[in-house]
Amino acid sequence: MAPIPGSGLAKGLAVTLRTMTKKTVTAQYPDVQPELPPRTRGVIGLFEENCTVCMLCARECPDWCIYIDSHKETVPPAAPGGRERSRNVLDRFAIDFSLCMYCGICIEVCPFDALFWSPEFEYAETDIHELTHERDKLREWMWTVPEPPALDPRAEEPKEIAAARKAAEKAAAQAAAEAQAAAEAAQEDQQ
């Protein structure tokens, strides 16, 4: 049987009319920012105050895309008669995002919580050499890191917080006892 002339055109127009009546699902990306999941891996943010230049992140990185430079400074003794100490000072911390595969190993191995995932994803550059971001840019991304999720209310209290709370309660009780003793001594002096 021969096809009816114009049946292909009719089918195409039917598809077009069906599509026109449906709601659009196009994401208007530059104008409307997408809703990102809470654990989005965008870029790595650096909390510089926590970095002790231990180099664990650079050593464990499978792509060798983290560059760290530092120098040692001598710190004067904390108490008279003490000895001087030396500490590492961070000079350069850079990540080459053209090499990074976003595995997160550097964040996991950091013992001092200096590296975090930021949901920022708009960091495209026109030149591949500009994808090496220095610590100033990494510090800016740190402030876009979302708050960690709340702890489970049924979970037991962490040991560190429990120890700190007990020490604070003990110090408060001791201060209250000393204040009460001082008040009683002042009352006796008045009599």
Side-chain angles (χ1 to χ4, degrees):
M1 178 168 166
I4 302 173
S7 65
L9 178 64
K11 286 181 183 178
L13 287 174
V15 170
T16 303
L17 288 173
R18 271 196 315 268
T19 307
M20 285 177 58
T21 59
K22 292 182 182 176
K23 184 178 177 183
T24 61
V25 292
T26 304
Q28 302 296 330
Y29 164 62
D31 300 326
V32 179
Q33 293 294 320
E35 289 291 324
L36 298 174
R39 294 180 54 126
T40 299
R41 290 185 177 194
V43 292
I44 297 169
L46 171 68
F47 190 56
E48 196 173 330
E49 290 77 15
N50 285 359
C51 183
T52 61
V53 195
C54 65
M55 307 286 248
L56 276 174
C57 55
R59 276 185 276 161
E60 295 295 326
C61 179
D63 293 331
W64 291 85
C65 64
I66 299 175
Y67 310 111
I68 301 175
D69 293 329
S70 67
H71 69 275
K72 291 199 180 270
E73 274 187 3
T74 303
V75 179
R83 68 171 206 205
E84 293 180 339
R85 307 257 182 204
S86 66
R87 68 179 181 102
N88 288 329
V89 177
L90 185 65
D91 292 330
R92 178 180 187 225
F93 193 105
I95 299 177
D96 188 352
F97 285 103
S98 66
L99 295 175
C100 183
M101 65 179 179
Y102 304 91
C103 63
I105 292 175
C106 56
I107 295 169
E108 296 297 322
V109 300
C110 182
F112 302 104
D113 289 333
L115 298 173
F116 295 90
W117 281 117
S118 169
E120 290 292 317
F121 61 92
E122 300 174 316
Y123 57 95
E125 300 290 344
T126 56
D127 184 14
I128 195 168
H129 299 294
E130 294 175 1
L131 282 173
T132 301
H133 294 290
E134 299 291 332
R135 68 181 184 179
D136 297 333
K137 188 68 174 174
L138 299 175
R139 187 181 317 118
E140 286 176 28
W141 284 328
M142 181 60 207
W143 307 121
T144 63
V145 172
E147 289 289 321
L151 297 175
D152 185 1
R154 296 170 294 177
E156 64 182 57
E157 189 176 41
K159 294 181 283 189
E160 298 85 0
I161 294 175
R165 186 177 42 74
K166 287 179 184 176
E169 289 172 356
K170 183 178 178 181
Q174 185 178 4
E178 290 174 1
Q180 185 176 0
E184 290 174 358
Q187 190 177 27
E188 287 178 10
D189 288 343
Q190 287 179 354
Q191 291 178 359

PDB file of all heavy atoms in Angstrom, residues 51-60 68-70:
ATOM      1  N   CYS A  51      45.607  24.744  58.661  1.00  0.00           N
ATOM      2  CA  CYS A  51      46.664  24.038  57.926  1.00  0.00           C
ATOM      3  C   CYS A  51      47.985  24.131  58.697  1.00  0.00           C
ATOM      4  O   CYS A  51      48.464  25.213  59.008  1.00  0.00           O
ATOM      5  CB  CYS A  51      46.834  24.629  56.532  1.00  0.00           C
ATOM      6  SG  CYS A  51      48.049  23.746  55.541  1.00  0.00           S
ATOM      7  N   THR A  52      48.578  22.972  58.980  1.00  0.00           N
ATOM      8  CA  THR A  52      49.858  22.920  59.685  1.00  0.00           C
ATOM      9  C   THR A  52      51.003  22.547  58.749  1.00  0.00           C
ATOM     10  O   THR A  52      52.091  22.259  59.212  1.00  0.00           O
ATOM     11  CB  THR A  52      49.806  21.888  60.835  1.00  0.00           C
ATOM     12  OG1 THR A  52      49.535  20.613  60.271  1.00  0.00           O
ATOM     13  CG2 THR A  52      48.761  22.262  61.857  1.00  0.00           C
ATOM     14  N   VAL A  53      50.763  22.531  57.473  1.00  0.00           N
ATOM     15  CA  VAL A  53      51.737  22.198  56.437  1.00  0.00           C
ATOM     16  C   VAL A  53      52.320  20.804  56.703  1.00  0.00           C
ATOM     17  O   VAL A  53      53.519  20.589  56.606  1.00  0.00           O
ATOM     18  CB  VAL A  53      52.834  23.278  56.333  1.00  0.00           C
ATOM     19  CG1 VAL A  53      53.604  23.128  55.047  1.00  0.00           C
ATOM     20  CG2 VAL A  53      52.276  24.677  56.437  1.00  0.00           C
ATOM     21  N   CYS A  54      51.455  19.870  57.008  1.00  0.00           N
ATOM     22  CA  CYS A  54      51.912  18.496  57.246  1.00  0.00           C
ATOM     23  C   CYS A  54      52.149  17.754  55.929  1.00  0.00           C
ATOM     24  O   CYS A  54      52.754  16.687  55.928  1.00  0.00           O
ATOM     25  CB  CYS A  54      50.916  17.737  58.107  1.00  0.00           C
ATOM     26  SG  CYS A  54      49.311  17.475  57.319  1.00  0.00           S
ATOM     27  N   MET A  55      51.653  18.288  54.827  1.00  0.00           N
ATOM     28  CA  MET A  55      51.856  17.763  53.473  1.00  0.00           C
ATOM     29  C   MET A  55      51.147  16.435  53.210  1.00  0.00           C
ATOM     30  O   MET A  55      51.405  15.797  52.191  1.00  0.00           O
ATOM     31  CB  MET A  55      53.339  17.603  53.159  1.00  0.00           C
ATOM     32  CG  MET A  55      54.152  18.834  53.380  1.00  0.00           C
ATOM     33  SD  MET A  55      53.848  20.007  52.113  1.00  0.00           S
ATOM     34  CE  MET A  55      55.399  19.995  51.293  1.00  0.00           C
ATOM     35  N   LEU A  56      50.269  15.987  54.100  1.00  0.00           N
ATOM     36  CA  LEU A  56      49.576  14.721  53.868  1.00  0.00           C
ATOM     37  C   LEU A  56      48.706  14.783  52.621  1.00  0.00           C
ATOM     38  O   LEU A  56      48.656  13.842  51.836  1.00  0.00           O
ATOM     39  CB  LEU A  56      48.707  14.349  55.071  1.00  0.00           C
ATOM     40  CG  LEU A  56      49.411  13.639  56.208  1.00  0.00           C
ATOM     41  CD1 LEU A  56      48.475  13.461  57.386  1.00  0.00           C
ATOM     42  CD2 LEU A  56      49.926  12.302  55.754  1.00  0.00           C
ATOM     43  N   CYS A  57      48.027  15.903  52.419  1.00  0.00           N
ATOM     44  CA  CYS A  57      47.136  16.017  51.258  1.00  0.00           C
ATOM     45  C   CYS A  57      47.932  15.929  49.962  1.00  0.00           C
ATOM     46  O   CYS A  57      47.520  15.246  49.022  1.00  0.00           O
ATOM     47  CB  CYS A  57      46.340  17.313  51.323  1.00  0.00           C
ATOM     48  SG  CYS A  57      47.341  18.792  51.482  1.00  0.00           S
ATOM     49  N   ALA A  58      49.072  16.591  49.900  1.00  0.00           N
ATOM     50  CA  ALA A  58      49.878  16.578  48.676  1.00  0.00           C
ATOM     51  C   ALA A  58      50.484  15.195  48.428  1.00  0.00           C
ATOM     52  O   ALA A  58      50.582  14.746  47.288  1.00  0.00           O
ATOM     53  CB  ALA A  58      50.973  17.626  48.761  1.00  0.00           C
ATOM     54  N   ARG A  59      50.883  14.510  49.506  1.00  0.00           N
ATOM     55  CA  ARG A  59      51.494  13.191  49.341  1.00  0.00           C
ATOM     56  C   ARG A  59      50.482  12.135  48.933  1.00  0.00           C
ATOM     57  O   ARG A  59      50.803  11.206  48.202  1.00  0.00           O
ATOM     58  CB  ARG A  59      52.179  12.759  50.635  1.00  0.00           C
ATOM     59  CG  ARG A  59      53.574  13.321  50.756  1.00  0.00           C
ATOM     60  CD  ARG A  59      54.254  12.793  51.966  1.00  0.00           C
ATOM     61  NE  ARG A  59      53.814  13.645  53.071  1.00  0.00           N
ATOM     62  CZ  ARG A  59      53.890  13.323  54.342  1.00  0.00           C
ATOM     63  NH1 ARG A  59      54.367  12.182  54.709  1.00  0.00           N
ATOM     64  NH2 ARG A  59      53.483  14.163  55.263  1.00  0.00           N
ATOM     65  N   GLU A  60      49.253  12.250  49.432  1.00  0.00           N
ATOM     66  CA  GLU A  60      48.240  11.234  49.151  1.00  0.00           C
ATOM     67  C   GLU A  60      47.490  11.473  47.854  1.00  0.00           C
ATOM     68  O   GLU A  60      46.779  10.594  47.388  1.00  0.00           O
ATOM     69  CB  GLU A  60      47.232  11.157  50.301  1.00  0.00           C
ATOM     70  CG  GLU A  60      47.831  10.690  51.609  1.00  0.00           C
ATOM     71  CD  GLU A  60      48.343   9.260  51.547  1.00  0.00           C
ATOM     72  OE1 GLU A  60      47.735   8.428  50.843  1.00  0.00           O
ATOM     73  OE2 GLU A  60      49.362   8.978  52.187  1.00  0.00           O
ATOM     74  N   ILE A  68      52.412  22.750  47.634  1.00  0.00           N
ATOM     75  CA  ILE A  68      52.553  23.405  48.935  1.00  0.00           C
ATOM     76  C   ILE A  68      54.000  23.836  49.116  1.00  0.00           C
ATOM     77  O   ILE A  68      54.919  23.045  48.905  1.00  0.00           O
ATOM     78  CB  ILE A  68      52.151  22.461  50.085  1.00  0.00           C
ATOM     79  CG1 ILE A  68      50.692  22.005  49.927  1.00  0.00           C
ATOM     80  CG2 ILE A  68      52.340  23.137  51.430  1.00  0.00           C
ATOM     81  CD1 ILE A  68      50.261  20.978  50.939  1.00  0.00           C
ATOM     82  N   ASP A  69      54.193  25.085  49.514  1.00  0.00           N
ATOM     83  CA  ASP A  69      55.503  25.600  49.889  1.00  0.00           C
ATOM     84  C   ASP A  69      55.385  26.185  51.284  1.00  0.00           C
ATOM     85  O   ASP A  69      54.368  26.787  51.640  1.00  0.00           O
ATOM     86  CB  ASP A  69      55.973  26.697  48.924  1.00  0.00           C
ATOM     87  CG  ASP A  69      56.249  26.156  47.528  1.00  0.00           C
ATOM     88  OD1 ASP A  69      56.658  24.982  47.430  1.00  0.00           O
ATOM     89  OD2 ASP A  69      56.056  26.905  46.559  1.00  0.00           O
ATOM     90  N   SER A  70      56.456  26.017  52.084  1.00  0.00           N
ATOM     91  CA  SER A  70      56.432  26.541  53.444  1.00  0.00           C
ATOM     92  C   SER A  70      57.847  26.878  53.892  1.00  0.00           C
ATOM     93  O   SER A  70      58.823  26.548  53.216  1.00  0.00           O
ATOM     94  CB  SER A  70      55.817  25.519  54.403  1.00  0.00           C
ATOM     95  OG  SER A  70      56.662  24.385  54.513  1.00  0.00           O
TER      96      SER A  70
END
